[in-house]
Amino acid sequence: GSPGNRITFTSNQASPAAGDWAKLHFSDLCSDAAIDAYGNYISGTIMKYCNVIYAGGLGYGAIDVEQSSPYFSQCKILNSSASGIYYNCSHAVIDSSSIKNCTGFGIFFQTEHYSMYNDSIINNLSGGINMLQQNNTIQSKVINCYFASNNSAISWSNNGVNNTLISGNYFINNYGTVVDLLGHYDTLTCNKFINNQNGPAIHWGDNYNPISGGLIFNNLFEGNMNPTGPSVILAGAGYSVGYGDTLIFANNIVRNNSSLGGSCCEFNMYLLNFTNLQCLRISDNIFTNNTGSNFIKMLGDQNSNASYDFLFMRNNTFLNPSCQYELYNDIPYGAPNLYLDLNYWGSTSTQHVDSVIYDYFDFANQSVVYYLPILTSPVVIDTACSTIFEIGINNIESSHYSMKLFPNPAISYFTIAFNHIINKGFIEIYNMVGEKFFEDNIYDKSEIEINVGNILPGIYFVKFYDGENYYSRKIIIEHD
């Protein structure tokens, strides 16, 4: 079809209703779509500028994809009595499409991997998307999508989902758990969780099914409410010796969320048999004006190695006067103590900090929280987001948010400054469609100046590698 002349598949009933007809079926005889590195269609089976309405009469989905890989773009799938799209295939690509008012899921992925870009998933009864992913070596992506008024936005089936990038999405007014994961090495970055109800924004394992490494970085959590449990995150971190990695919760803004029935954030630590791994990092976050019995509740198993430091929690701002405790330590005495030095608590008074931390000195069955020295001013974090670059768990350490870019906007030039280069680094600049037009290797430098006088005005993304870690920043270029 075309924007002004869409193709519509719909009911022929006088009063149409969901399930009036069955489905569009893409079988394994279909020619798979070929897509280039920028997401552009090259060849193969495609649906573009199409409407699919009132289908789902045979279950599964209004569109049923069986062992084939068509490309969906600019489509509207509405009012299905089953799911909107049901995939049972190796890989799936869908962009700029709207899936709304389905009795099942918006999309059910039974795929090895998939990619979603710029899609709207709205008011689907079973949930926004459900993932049953098999191939952990190829990254799946949910980028720049809009999830609203679903019963859960993103969920999983069977053994969970691994190596998935969820970036630049907007989650608003969903009901129940918003993003429900039980995977390893997933990345949630630059998302907005706004006014979701009756569940945590993120549920990622528990202490019976802990995750083994993951990244929650540079997200906004605002106005989420759960009357019976955590409104922001419920997560399990850690795994048995030999399989462990780190869950990082960093550089997030968490404000005005409400957990009337408990804690806004709850971390269940799997500490049995742990001896040598820091499995949870909570750093460089701003936590303000949240409401609950506690802001963070920390739970864990008994462990005879009391000297083991499983937690890194520094450079956070805690300003939650409507919570009885900023931190409630429910880890038993004899298990590792908690070290929370270099955080800001709204005051440098030890009497105040003692009053907002629950630990051994409130109940001798708990371990001890140590919090000195105390920061004297609130934390400042970098909230700039770029969703083009796939920032993975192994590329970010919370002690190295060290790349600075100025001036921004830039008129004739801008400067990139950084702390250090390990061996050899590089800088790359991309436009909004992912085309690279500048690159330079860096050796023994602490900054580099880039002339932008001949570059068209617009928004660009700078990717920087210091030999160990990756960084990305947005730059706006203007000319007089």
Side-chain angles (χ1 to χ4, degrees):
S2 66
N5 191 19
R6 300 177 65 88
I7 297 169
T8 297
F9 301 83
T10 189
S11 169
N12 65 355
Q13 299 298 309
S15 299
D20 278 351
W21 61 286
K23 61 185 178 180
L24 298 179
H25 182 209
F26 292 86
S27 75
D28 58 357
L29 299 178
C30 293
S31 173
D32 290 348
I35 311 295
D36 69 15
Y38 301 107
N40 298 310
Y41 169 79
I42 299 173
S43 63
T45 304
I46 182 172
M47 280 189 70
K48 191 170 186 178
Y49 297 114
C50 295
N51 304 327
V52 181
I53 311 174
Y54 299 120
L58 290 182
Y60 293 99
I63 297 176
D64 185 4
V65 179
E66 180 187 7
Q67 303 304 319
S68 61
S69 296
Y71 172 48
F72 298 104
S73 179
Q74 305 285 345
C75 290
K76 296 180 181 180
I77 299 105
L78 310 174
N79 303 327
S80 169
S81 63
S83 292
I85 304 178
Y86 184 93
Y87 284 100
N88 182 6
C89 58
S90 61
H91 65 277
V93 180
I94 177 169
D95 78 70
S96 307
S97 294
S98 176
I99 304 178
K100 185 175 180 181
N101 298 336
C102 298
T103 302
F105 294 98
I107 305 176
F108 188 97
F109 289 108
Q110 186 170 333
T111 61
E112 292 185 0
H113 61 97
Y114 60 90
S115 297
M116 292 179 62
Y117 303 96
N118 306 310
D119 299 305
S120 295
I121 313 296
I122 302 172
N123 196 38
N124 298 288
L125 187 60
S126 294
I129 67 174
N130 185 271
M131 305 176 289
L132 179 61
Q133 183 182 329
Q134 306 297 325
N135 191 332
N136 299 336
T137 62
I138 302 176
Q139 187 175 58
S140 290
K141 303 169 187 141
V142 182
I143 296 179
N144 294 342
C145 294
Y146 178 81
F147 293 84
S149 304
N150 303 284
N151 284 330
S152 180
I154 298 177
S155 57
W156 56 273
S157 297
N158 290 355
N159 295 321
V161 180
N162 303 308
N163 193 21
T164 299
L165 173 67
I166 300 172
S167 180
N169 303 287
Y170 200 104
F171 300 95
I172 184 169
N173 293 332
N174 297 282
Y175 190 88
T177 300
V178 182
V179 175
D180 192 356
L181 299 171
L182 186 60
H184 308 298
Y185 310 112
D186 297 314
T187 298
L188 288 87
T189 180
C190 296
N191 303 289
K192 294 183 178 180
F193 296 85
I194 309 293
N195 295 341
N196 299 286
Q197 306 291 315
N198 283 57
I202 297 173
H203 179 205
W204 203 339
D206 50 46
N207 69 323
Y208 297 105
N209 295 291
I211 63 96
S212 182
L215 176 65
I216 303 169
F217 179 79
N218 219 359
N219 302 283
L220 171 65
F221 302 84
E222 183 166 18
N224 303 287
M225 189 278 290
N226 188 358
T228 59
S231 57
V232 178
I233 181 170
L234 172 61
Y239 220 68
S240 58
V241 171
Y243 297 94
D245 213 307
T246 304
L247 172 63
I248 297 177
F249 189 92
N251 218 68
N252 303 290
I253 295 175
V254 182
R255 63 192 182 203
N256 302 322
N257 303 283
S258 176
S259 296
L260 300 179
S263 306
C264 294
C265 305
E266 187 172 304
F267 295 95
N268 295 279
M269 307 307 304
Y270 187 85
L271 298 176
L272 293 175
N273 304 320
F274 260 101
T275 57
N276 59 0
L277 181 67
Q278 189 180 82
C279 52
L280 178 61
R281 296 174 72 95
I282 302 173
S283 64
D284 301 275
N285 301 289
I286 296 175
F287 304 129
T288 57
N289 296 322
N290 298 285
T291 301
S293 299
N294 320 294
F295 179 67
I296 292 179
K297 186 175 184 179
M298 196 73 63
L299 299 97
D301 303 297
Q302 182 61 259
N303 186 308
S304 60
N305 186 359
S307 64
Y308 167 57
D309 183 10
F310 69 92
L311 173 68
F312 180 98
M313 189 185 293
R314 286 185 176 176
N315 208 43
N316 302 288
T317 290
F318 292 92
L319 287 173
N320 302 285
S322 295
C323 293
Q324 181 179 2
Y325 295 105
E326 298 279 7
L327 178 81
Y328 188 101
N329 177 26
D330 203 26
I331 293 175
Y333 178 80
N337 296 313
L338 278 61
Y339 296 88
L340 275 66
D341 51 305
L342 298 176
N343 291 288
Y344 180 70
W345 304 90
S347 171
T348 57
S349 163
T350 57
Q351 183 178 5
H352 167 75
V353 181
D354 285 336
S355 71
V356 297
I357 292 177
Y358 180 92
D359 69 346
Y360 170 86
F361 297 102
D362 299 280
F363 183 49
N365 284 359
Q366 314 307 124
S367 63
V368 179
V369 176
Y370 296 96
Y371 57 79
L372 294 174
I374 302 169
L375 292 183
T376 59
S377 60
V379 171
V380 177
I381 65 175
D382 183 358
T383 58
C385 272
S386 164
T387 60
I388 285 181
F389 307 120
E390 296 164 20
I391 304 172
I393 179 69
N394 296 319
N395 295 330
I396 290 185
E397 289 291 334
S398 56
S399 59
H400 291 296
Y401 304 137
S402 56
M403 191 262 259
K404 296 180 174 60
L405 187 153
F406 57 92
N408 191 5
I411 296 174
S412 57
Y413 72 92
F414 67 90
T415 298
I416 300 173
F418 35 87
N419 285 351
H420 66 287
I421 295 295
I422 302 171
N423 297 323
K424 182 178 75 172
F426 64 79
I427 291 174
E428 297 173 342
I429 302 178
Y430 295 77
N431 62 17
M432 288 291 289
V433 297
E435 297 171 335
K436 181 170 66 177
F437 64 89
F438 178 89
E439 61 180 344
D440 191 19
N441 292 324
I442 309 170
Y443 296 92
D444 296 324
K445 297 179 181 179
S446 61
E447 65 180 41
I448 184 171
E449 183 176 291
I450 297 175
N451 190 323
V452 296
N454 295 322
I455 299 176
L456 293 174
I459 300 174
Y460 296 81
F461 294 99
V462 179
K463 183 178 182 181
F464 171 64
Y465 177 63
D466 67 6
E468 183 180 52
N469 303 296
Y470 289 94
Y471 308 83
S472 62
R473 296 289 187 272
K474 178 171 65 177
I475 181 74
I476 299 172
I477 296 176
E478 301 177 347
H479 297 315
D480 292 331

